[in-house]
Amino acid sequence: MKRCPTCNRTYNEEGLSFCLDDGTPLQDTGSSTSSSYNQATISFQQQPTSDSQSAPPSLAPPSLSQKTMLATPPVVTQDQSWAPPPPSYSQPPPSYTPPPAPKKRSALPWVIGIVAVIGLLIAGGVGLIGLLAYIGMKSDEANKNAKPSSSPIAKSSPNVNRSTTTNANSDVVTSTDADANDDFSTQKWSVGSDSMGTFAYKNGELHVNAVPGRYVVEYAPKETAYYTKDATVTMSARSVDGTSPRYGYGVVVHGQLSSGNQLEDYGFLVRTDDNPSYAIVLHKGGKETYLHDWTPSTAVLSGNASNELEIKTKGPRLEFYVNGQYLAAIQDSAGFKTGRVGVYTSDSNEVAFDDLKVTHN
């Protein structure tokens, strides 16, 4: 049996060395209560009786000098949250950045490039086609607006104006009729073919065509009735096949030949293609000059429709009408003042003239 000298508790456990209440080393009393064990056991905690034992002294923890090692060493638990501090550096450690993974090359730039090249090729082709079309249009327009001239041989020919008199320079008047009313039912004008063109009566009309690329003029017979001083001149004209001569066709007034057999007159021309228009020209010394360039007009009928051309002369003033509609007026800058009526056409397209009237004021 063992006893605590401090609290006087007794213990029967043989292997117990310290008091379970205050940790004081136990003293051996030398008695035993059982033959089966070397040391008897006692209850873990025994309450002293009030009559057999005095109250225990106040418990105080033993001093360090009185403590001895426990039979079972204390278990030291390690704080799992503890970690050694990171090492300190005088400079921050270099950061390591892994190299980027190689990127796959996208096919999009190639696709965009190919589409751009195709677009440029298409745009270039369209532009080239447009340019060629524009050049062709300008070429056609230039051909339409070209001002043809007679050949030198034709200009020097006595029959350049297809005069109906044997003497082209004669001013002899063979008729005294005051006015002319020629429906071309009776042949009065010269007919036939020469280096300038062809003239013929057909179905009560005067049919005329020039050689390709040229123009031709024929004056009326030298009769008083065909002279155009202070007169109103009307004549109908049409394209036989509906194709307009390239340089136009129409009627001339104050027509006469110069001393060198050169044309001198004023011409009123129409062009009856897809863009109907009119022009006024002057022939002087065999040279053709445009006094009023080609101007579109809705008064001019296209195709093979007949247009009535009218010129009114009064002193130096000349007025021009188509199908009864006034178009323009000029002054007789050349000073012709008189001369005969005539017909004008160009290129090889056949034109028919009819119902010529010359009424003097």
Side-chain angles (χ1 to χ4, degrees):
M1 178 180 291
K2 293 182 180 182
R3 184 179 63 84
C4 175
T6 302
C7 65
N8 293 322
R9 285 191 61 182
T10 60
Y11 299 91
N12 293 324
E13 291 86 348
E14 186 65 25
L16 188 61
S17 300
F18 298 93
C19 178
L20 297 177
D21 289 336
D22 52 20
T24 303
L26 299 178
Q27 295 178 356
D28 190 5
T29 59
S31 60
S32 176
T33 59
S34 174
S35 60
S36 301
Y37 298 94
N38 296 328
Q39 186 176 11
T41 60
I42 61 174
S43 63
F44 183 76
Q45 185 174 1
Q46 184 178 359
Q47 297 293 335
T49 59
S50 57
D51 53 351
S52 61
Q53 190 174 1
S54 61
S58 113
L59 300 178
S63 62
L64 290 178
S65 60
Q66 293 176 331
K67 289 184 178 180
T68 59
M69 293 295 294
L70 298 176
T72 303
V75 178
V76 178
T77 60
Q78 183 177 359
D79 186 1
Q80 299 297 326
S81 62
W82 179 88
S88 61
Y89 297 90
S90 59
Q91 294 182 351
S95 61
Y96 172 74
T97 303
K103 294 183 180 179
K104 288 186 177 181
R105 291 187 176 181
S106 174
L108 183 60
W110 287 95
V111 174
I112 294 175
I114 293 173
V115 171
V117 170
I118 294 175
L120 290 175
L121 291 176
I122 293 175
V126 171
L128 179 60
I129 292 173
L131 178 62
L132 293 177
Y134 176 78
I135 293 174
M137 180 183 68
K138 286 298 183 182
S139 177
D140 291 342
E141 184 178 340
N143 288 334
K144 287 182 179 180
N145 293 328
K147 301 172 177 59
S149 61
S150 300
S151 65
I153 295 177
K155 287 180 180 179
S156 62
S157 170
N159 293 325
V160 67
N161 71 327
R162 301 287 301 181
S163 174
T164 57
T165 62
T166 56
N167 185 357
N169 294 320
S170 173
D171 290 331
V172 176
V173 177
T174 60
S175 173
T176 58
D177 293 339
D179 297 324
N181 190 356
D182 192 347
D183 61 1
F184 296 97
S185 60
T186 301
Q187 181 177 334
K188 295 181 180 180
W189 297 54
S190 176
V191 295
S193 298
D194 58 22
S195 61
M196 296 302 298
T198 301
F199 297 79
Y201 277 79
K202 297 180 183 179
N203 303 319
E205 297 173 318
L206 179 62
H207 286 238
V208 184
N209 64 274
V211 297
R214 303 290 179 86
Y215 70 88
V216 65
V217 174
E218 181 172 8
Y219 294 152
K222 285 190 175 182
E223 297 178 4
T224 303
Y226 291 107
Y227 280 81
T228 57
K229 181 180 179 181
D230 296 332
T232 297
V233 178
T234 61
M235 180 184 287
S236 65
R238 66 180 179 88
S239 170
V240 173
D241 63 359
T243 303
S244 177
R246 188 187 311 178
Y247 310 115
Y249 59 97
V251 60
V252 300
V253 295
H254 294 350
Q256 57 189 338
L257 291 176
S258 68
S259 59
N261 287 332
Q262 303 296 331
L263 295 173
E264 293 187 340
D265 57 62
Y266 290 100
F268 182 33
L269 312 179
V270 293
R271 200 162 58 196
T272 54
D273 49 20
D274 294 336
N275 185 28
S277 53
Y278 71 94
I280 301 171
V281 298
L282 167 68
H283 295 129
K284 185 175 179 62
K287 180 181 179 182
E288 183 174 90
T289 303
Y290 276 66
L291 302 179
H292 195 293
D293 212 343
W294 288 105
T295 304
S297 174
T298 56
V300 180
L301 304 179
S302 61
N304 60 0
S306 180
N307 287 279
E308 183 182 74
L309 309 178
E310 181 179 354
I311 305 174
K312 294 181 179 181
T313 67
K314 185 65 176 177
R317 180 179 173 84
L318 290 83
E319 297 178 355
F320 301 86
Y321 301 78
V322 170
N323 299 316
Q325 181 173 328
Y326 170 80
L327 297 180
I330 63 170
Q331 293 293 112
D332 179 13
S333 58
F336 294 153
K337 297 182 181 179
T338 188
R340 289 169 285 167
V341 67
V343 295
Y344 175 113
T345 190
S346 62
D347 221 351
S348 58
N349 303 100
E350 188 173 332
V351 176
F353 298 92
D354 199 5
D355 299 327
L356 169 63
K357 294 180 181 181
V358 180
T359 304
H360 296 88
N361 301 326

